[in-house]
Amino acid sequence: MLKKRIIICLDVKDGRTTKGIKFKNNIDIGDPVEMAAEYYRQNVDELVFYDIMASARGRGPILDLISRVASQVFIPFCVGGGIGTLEDIRSTIMAGAEKVSLNSQAVKNPDLIAQGARVFGSQCMVLGMDAARDSAMPSGYRVYINGGRVATELDAKEWALRAVELGAGEIVLNSIDADGTRDGYELNLTRMISEAVPVPVIASGGGGTPQHLVDVLTDANADAALIASMVHSGDYTVPGIKAELSKAGVAVR
């Protein structure tokens, strides 16, 4: 049985780690380089770094900050935000990222997933998807872009399937409805996408207690759980969460 992964997300705005609720009211919570180093010491399995304003502001990735974070962690490191060209993918990987996450830019230019997969391999290409409940969509969920600010005409399940066909090797699935609430992951959405695609699905949005991770990793069949608020707040540590998961019978790294 494959072991489940715990992944910490650093949302970055203007060079600082930030956290909001349902993509709004973000507050500054610290220096991403120092935070990355601390979570590496805590033995987190992977780290994800999202520049949440890059696409909205029409600029590329902050390579200097990415390389500073990469210098502190020796685990898989995924970077998203403002990656809109093959050259952006290349420079982000050269700066120290193992994977790149395409979200808004993948919606605007789906062929970028295929180009990236051809040149760098599917294992480097992650689809970041922000979805919210919408009964007008076939799956019941609509895809949003630009940090959750712009609704698209894409259905979440259809877009996940298409992105994998194009070459995405993993999906970070973020529920806008659950984001930052710490009330638990969106199990229905996560289960639906996990069962539909043949690649790993990382559940994101809503993690507040170790039990929430147990639920999404077992009941919703996610391959990994992304956490942010519950560790940024200091309420939990990575070793503490892993101990609770092990106790609940979840195989962790």
Side-chain angles (χ1 to χ4, degrees):
M1 188 170 83
L2 278 177
K3 292 187 175 177
K4 303 289 189 177
R5 292 170 286 153
I6 306 299
I7 302 172
I8 289 179
C9 179
L10 300 174
D11 283 335
V12 176
K13 179 182 179 184
D14 303 325
R16 300 282 293 173
T17 309
T18 182
K19 197 71 200 96
I21 296 175
K22 299 187 181 183
F23 287 34
K24 295 187 177 86
N25 305 321
N26 284 66
I27 55 166
D28 182 321
I29 56 170
D31 175 64
V33 181
E34 288 171 10
M35 292 174 76
E38 171 56 29
Y39 292 134
Y40 176 65
R41 283 193 291 273
Q42 288 188 26
N43 204 26
V44 71
D45 299 315
E46 296 186 22
L47 205 61
V48 174
F49 170 111
Y50 285 133
D51 183 336
I52 63 169
M53 296 305 294
S55 288
R57 290 176 178 169
R59 62 163 169 72
I62 320 171
L63 299 175
D64 166 59
L65 187 56
I66 292 164
S67 68
R68 283 165 53 217
V69 171
S71 73
Q72 300 296 315
V73 299
F74 303 94
I75 49 175
F77 174 42
C78 178
V79 172
I83 298 170
T85 66
L86 205 54
E87 190 44 51
D88 287 338
I89 296 173
R90 180 177 283 109
S91 57
T92 301
I93 291 171
M94 294 298 288
E98 275 80 16
K99 309 177 195 179
V100 296
S101 177
L102 303 179
N103 189 319
S104 304
Q105 299 298 338
V107 170
K108 294 168 187 171
N109 176 19
D111 193 49
L112 186 58
I113 301 171
Q115 290 173 13
R118 271 197 303 274
V119 176
F120 303 103
S122 281
Q123 78 285 351
C124 291
M125 305 306 298
V126 178
L127 176 73
M129 177 163 53
D130 297 325
R133 283 189 287 271
D134 188 331
S135 58
M137 304 309 282
S139 71
Y141 296 88
R142 184 184 294 273
V143 174
Y144 284 73
I145 58 170
N146 289 4
R149 286 181 286 276
V150 178
T152 73
E153 290 307 309
L154 292 173
D155 175 76
K157 184 177 174 183
E158 287 171 13
W159 176 227
L161 288 164
R162 184 164 170 227
V164 171
E165 244 172 60
L166 287 164
E170 195 166 69
I171 295 174
V172 174
L173 176 61
N174 192 46
S175 162
I176 294 175
D177 301 303
D179 180 75
T181 61
R182 300 178 66 177
D183 290 335
Y185 295 90
E186 235 278 25
L187 300 182
N188 181 55
L189 171 65
T190 308
R191 187 184 301 110
M192 177 180 64
I193 302 296
S194 301
E195 288 174 356
V197 299
V199 301
V201 171
I202 299 162
S204 171
T209 69
Q211 185 58 47
H212 293 153
L213 278 78
V214 172
D215 294 342
V216 83
L217 294 169
T218 55
D219 300 353
N221 208 28
D223 296 271
L226 199 83
I227 55 176
S229 305
M230 63 188 287
V231 284
H232 297 339
S233 64
D235 292 346
Y236 295 95
T237 64
V238 176
I241 293 167
K242 286 189 173 185
E244 290 289 331
L245 292 180
S246 292
K247 209 189 297 178
V250 179
V252 290
R253 294 185 177 184

